[in-house]
Amino acid sequence: MGMLPDNPEAEIDPSLPEAEGGGEADAPDVSPAENSPPVVNFEDLTLAQAIGRLFKAPGQTLDQLRDVLSPAPVELKSLVRPSASVSSASPRQLLSAARAKTVTAVPLSPEALALRQREALQFGVRLMALLVAFYGSSIMVSERTEYFGLNGGLPFLFAGFVIWIVGDNYVSWPALRGWWSNRDSREESKAKNGLSVHTDDAVYDVSLERRLIIAGAATFFSLLTLYFTQENKFTIPSLVTWPVSVGLWVAVFAPIGWGWRAIKNAVRSIRLPGRWTLIILIVIMLVAALFRLYSLNTIPSEMTSDHVEKILDAQRILDGNPQVFFPNNGGREAIQFYLMAIISLVPGLGMNFFTLKFLTVLEGLVSIPVLWWMGREMIGEDEPELGNAVGLALAALVAASYWHVMLSRLGLRIVLTVIVTGLLIIYFSRALRRNRRADFIKTGLVLGIGVYAYQAVRMLPVVVVVGVVLAVIFGLFRRRAHWSGT
């Protein structure tokens, strides 16, 4: 009497030919290798191999795929008892008997069922967000004017983004709630194991009461700054109260160790790059200067209305009208005009088109080492050599790139966006990687200064918010994977 093998699923292949009469003697005398692909485990096939088998034997391949996707594998030994009829049954008959037997599905737990429902709702919310964003994009494509295009389509793009984020946070909400509710037990566990409950960045060297007092003083100086600049002009008192208010707000949130001594130590710790890195950077800067300074007096040759407006604004500052924000010509931020007013006082320059272009050339040159630094920070401290190579490659490409050379020679303040964005990415990548308050404070300071540079910087706070939201979502997913043991 024939017996079933110990592992019938591994031994029996549904691609074997089916016997006519159900017995071994009635089966056609044809070897399986002649009519079907070799017997292999379908789950071990690559996508290309599975597609190839589908073209060679579509029926058999679909049967194997259906077996793999079946919810619960069934042992053939539990379906057919060893007998003479079993030994003579064909593999297809055995699998047909296995499929015919009713298999009771294991019900999902309430938690797993709720998660499935949340994921299904998340899919629907994402689809809705995609449709809303697509509708907004279609408006911006069909209407090219600023009023009908940007103003009409941008709200839909923003709504689609908000809908997408809400859907993702809805799925992660149970994990976030569980993390928050278990925070006390985690800290108790760390304390029992002799670990520090707080990181060095979270320890307050100043009491909460003292920080509240500093916050009150910062609010007072901020209101004074608002009062002294209420006519949209910088005054001598505002030049005192403004930096004092910023410094006090930094002190409110400053981590342990921040102070004048820390600033002095940070300045002393500044070191030049290594020998070869410094040489390569100098060569890159010389090439960049050649591209930006060659025939600067003639290329570009003539001013546009924007250049005239900027020269007039800088001259107004020298004439005694130091505005905080320049409302004319659609409204402009002030940094470039004050820099233009200062550099025009250098002997031999003056208030003219060449000085305006020379200023943006200097700003373009400053952005190149900033981008080298950004490349290093993006790679991280774990691979300093790779980060240094990426930074040098980025600086070299930007030094000779057409778009940056054009922005540097153009005489317009848009080139300041490169510097602000580079510094923002440096400190923001540090903040996300290390999760330290100091890096978040520096990121905020860069954003605060950047909004006085160019209007495109107004979008960078959105970039920071999106980055923080994505970091929180990925952090929650990692925690949930850690809790589930995967």
Side-chain angles (χ1 to χ4, degrees), residues 110-122:
E111 294 80 7
L113 182 60
L115 180 60
R116 293 282 181 88
Q117 294 174 348
R118 284 177 175 271
E119 289 177 345
L121 181 60
Q122 180 192 42

PDB file of all heavy atoms in Angstrom, residues 110-122:
ATOM      1  N   PRO A 110      -9.367  41.931  17.355  1.00  0.00           N
ATOM      2  CA  PRO A 110      -9.949  43.280  17.225  1.00  0.00           C
ATOM      3  C   PRO A 110      -8.924  44.334  16.849  1.00  0.00           C
ATOM      4  O   PRO A 110      -9.224  45.255  16.082  1.00  0.00           O
ATOM      5  CB  PRO A 110     -10.544  43.524  18.616  1.00  0.00           C
ATOM      6  CG  PRO A 110     -10.790  42.156  19.178  1.00  0.00           C
ATOM      7  CD  PRO A 110      -9.708  41.294  18.639  1.00  0.00           C
ATOM      8  N   GLU A 111      -7.700  44.207  17.390  1.00  0.00           N
ATOM      9  CA  GLU A 111      -6.677  45.194  17.055  1.00  0.00           C
ATOM     10  C   GLU A 111      -6.283  45.104  15.581  1.00  0.00           C
ATOM     11  O   GLU A 111      -6.148  46.123  14.892  1.00  0.00           O
ATOM     12  CB  GLU A 111      -5.445  44.996  17.940  1.00  0.00           C
ATOM     13  CG  GLU A 111      -5.671  45.287  19.415  1.00  0.00           C
ATOM     14  CD  GLU A 111      -6.360  44.123  20.125  1.00  0.00           C
ATOM     15  OE1 GLU A 111      -6.532  43.064  19.482  1.00  0.00           O
ATOM     16  OE2 GLU A 111      -6.730  44.284  21.303  1.00  0.00           O
ATOM     17  N   ALA A 112      -6.099  43.854  15.090  1.00  0.00           N
ATOM     18  CA  ALA A 112      -5.728  43.697  13.688  1.00  0.00           C
ATOM     19  C   ALA A 112      -6.853  44.145  12.767  1.00  0.00           C
ATOM     20  O   ALA A 112      -6.609  44.757  11.712  1.00  0.00           O
ATOM     21  CB  ALA A 112      -5.368  42.238  13.411  1.00  0.00           C
ATOM     22  N   LEU A 113      -8.099  43.867  13.147  1.00  0.00           N
ATOM     23  CA  LEU A 113      -9.235  44.295  12.339  1.00  0.00           C
ATOM     24  C   LEU A 113      -9.329  45.821  12.290  1.00  0.00           C
ATOM     25  O   LEU A 113      -9.586  46.414  11.225  1.00  0.00           O
ATOM     26  CB  LEU A 113     -10.521  43.701  12.904  1.00  0.00           C
ATOM     27  CG  LEU A 113     -11.815  44.026  12.134  1.00  0.00           C
ATOM     28  CD1 LEU A 113     -11.720  43.501  10.705  1.00  0.00           C
ATOM     29  CD2 LEU A 113     -13.021  43.430  12.852  1.00  0.00           C
ATOM     30  N   ALA A 114      -9.110  46.471  13.437  1.00  0.00           N
ATOM     31  CA  ALA A 114      -9.140  47.942  13.457  1.00  0.00           C
ATOM     32  C   ALA A 114      -8.023  48.521  12.595  1.00  0.00           C
ATOM     33  O   ALA A 114      -8.217  49.516  11.891  1.00  0.00           O
ATOM     34  CB  ALA A 114      -9.036  48.445  14.901  1.00  0.00           C
ATOM     35  N   LEU A 115      -6.845  47.870  12.636  1.00  0.00           N
ATOM     36  CA  LEU A 115      -5.734  48.345  11.813  1.00  0.00           C
ATOM     37  C   LEU A 115      -6.056  48.188  10.333  1.00  0.00           C
ATOM     38  O   LEU A 115      -5.762  49.085   9.524  1.00  0.00           O
ATOM     39  CB  LEU A 115      -4.465  47.582  12.169  1.00  0.00           C
ATOM     40  CG  LEU A 115      -3.204  47.968  11.381  1.00  0.00           C
ATOM     41  CD1 LEU A 115      -2.871  49.431  11.607  1.00  0.00           C
ATOM     42  CD2 LEU A 115      -2.029  47.084  11.777  1.00  0.00           C
ATOM     43  N   ARG A 116      -6.675  47.044   9.961  1.00  0.00           N
ATOM     44  CA  ARG A 116      -7.063  46.859   8.559  1.00  0.00           C
ATOM     45  C   ARG A 116      -8.052  47.939   8.119  1.00  0.00           C
ATOM     46  O   ARG A 116      -7.970  48.477   7.010  1.00  0.00           O
ATOM     47  CB  ARG A 116      -7.684  45.473   8.385  1.00  0.00           C
ATOM     48  CG  ARG A 116      -6.711  44.318   8.592  1.00  0.00           C
ATOM     49  CD  ARG A 116      -5.824  44.128   7.381  1.00  0.00           C
ATOM     50  NE  ARG A 116      -4.913  43.021   7.577  1.00  0.00           N
ATOM     51  CZ  ARG A 116      -5.206  41.746   7.278  1.00  0.00           C
ATOM     52  NH1 ARG A 116      -6.405  41.449   6.796  1.00  0.00           N
ATOM     53  NH2 ARG A 116      -4.317  40.799   7.455  1.00  0.00           N
ATOM     54  N   GLN A 117      -9.001  48.244   8.991  1.00  0.00           N
ATOM     55  CA  GLN A 117      -9.984  49.267   8.644  1.00  0.00           C
ATOM     56  C   GLN A 117      -9.334  50.638   8.495  1.00  0.00           C
ATOM     57  O   GLN A 117      -9.681  51.412   7.595  1.00  0.00           O
ATOM     58  CB  GLN A 117     -11.085  49.302   9.703  1.00  0.00           C
ATOM     59  CG  GLN A 117     -11.945  48.033   9.751  1.00  0.00           C
ATOM     60  CD  GLN A 117     -12.922  48.036  10.899  1.00  0.00           C
ATOM     61  OE1 GLN A 117     -12.837  48.869  11.803  1.00  0.00           O
ATOM     62  NE2 GLN A 117     -13.857  47.091  10.889  1.00  0.00           N
ATOM     63  N   ARG A 118      -8.398  50.940   9.385  1.00  0.00           N
ATOM     64  CA  ARG A 118      -7.708  52.224   9.296  1.00  0.00           C
ATOM     65  C   ARG A 118      -6.873  52.306   8.015  1.00  0.00           C
ATOM     66  O   ARG A 118      -6.817  53.344   7.353  1.00  0.00           O
ATOM     67  CB  ARG A 118      -6.805  52.425  10.520  1.00  0.00           C
ATOM     68  CG  ARG A 118      -7.572  52.792  11.785  1.00  0.00           C
ATOM     69  CD  ARG A 118      -6.634  52.917  12.971  1.00  0.00           C
ATOM     70  NE  ARG A 118      -7.331  53.379  14.151  1.00  0.00           N
ATOM     71  CZ  ARG A 118      -7.500  54.646  14.479  1.00  0.00           C
ATOM     72  NH1 ARG A 118      -6.992  55.593  13.701  1.00  0.00           N
ATOM     73  NH2 ARG A 118      -8.154  54.994  15.566  1.00  0.00           N
ATOM     74  N   GLU A 119      -6.215  51.201   7.649  1.00  0.00           N
ATOM     75  CA  GLU A 119      -5.415  51.215   6.432  1.00  0.00           C
ATOM     76  C   GLU A 119      -6.302  51.355   5.201  1.00  0.00           C
ATOM     77  O   GLU A 119      -5.922  52.016   4.226  1.00  0.00           O
ATOM     78  CB  GLU A 119      -4.588  49.938   6.365  1.00  0.00           C
ATOM     79  CG  GLU A 119      -3.458  49.894   7.392  1.00  0.00           C
ATOM     80  CD  GLU A 119      -2.703  48.581   7.366  1.00  0.00           C
ATOM     81  OE1 GLU A 119      -3.229  47.614   6.755  1.00  0.00           O
ATOM     82  OE2 GLU A 119      -1.607  48.514   7.945  1.00  0.00           O
ATOM     83  N   ALA A 120      -7.487  50.715   5.220  1.00  0.00           N
ATOM     84  CA  ALA A 120      -8.414  50.877   4.099  1.00  0.00           C
ATOM     85  C   ALA A 120      -8.878  52.328   3.983  1.00  0.00           C
ATOM     86  O   ALA A 120      -8.958  52.890   2.882  1.00  0.00           O
ATOM     87  CB  ALA A 120      -9.604  49.932   4.274  1.00  0.00           C
ATOM     88  N   LEU A 121      -9.191  52.939   5.143  1.00  0.00           N
ATOM     89  CA  LEU A 121      -9.594  54.340   5.123  1.00  0.00           C
ATOM     90  C   LEU A 121      -8.442  55.226   4.671  1.00  0.00           C
ATOM     91  O   LEU A 121      -8.650  56.212   3.953  1.00  0.00           O
ATOM     92  CB  LEU A 121     -10.079  54.762   6.512  1.00  0.00           C
ATOM     93  CG  LEU A 121     -10.565  56.215   6.644  1.00  0.00           C
ATOM     94  CD1 LEU A 121     -11.739  56.465   5.710  1.00  0.00           C
ATOM     95  CD2 LEU A 121     -10.961  56.517   8.081  1.00  0.00           C
ATOM     96  N   GLN A 122      -7.222  54.871   5.074  1.00  0.00           N
ATOM     97  CA  GLN A 122      -6.064  55.651   4.648  1.00  0.00           C
ATOM     98  C   GLN A 122      -5.913  55.616   3.132  1.00  0.00           C
ATOM     99  O   GLN A 122      -5.597  56.637   2.509  1.00  0.00           O
ATOM    100  CB  GLN A 122      -4.797  55.106   5.304  1.00  0.00           C
ATOM    101  CG  GLN A 122      -3.534  55.862   4.919  1.00  0.00           C
ATOM    102  CD  GLN A 122      -2.279  55.134   5.350  1.00  0.00           C
ATOM    103  OE1 GLN A 122      -2.201  53.921   5.205  1.00  0.00           O
ATOM    104  NE2 GLN A 122      -1.313  55.847   5.891  1.00  0.00           N
TER     105      GLN A 122
END
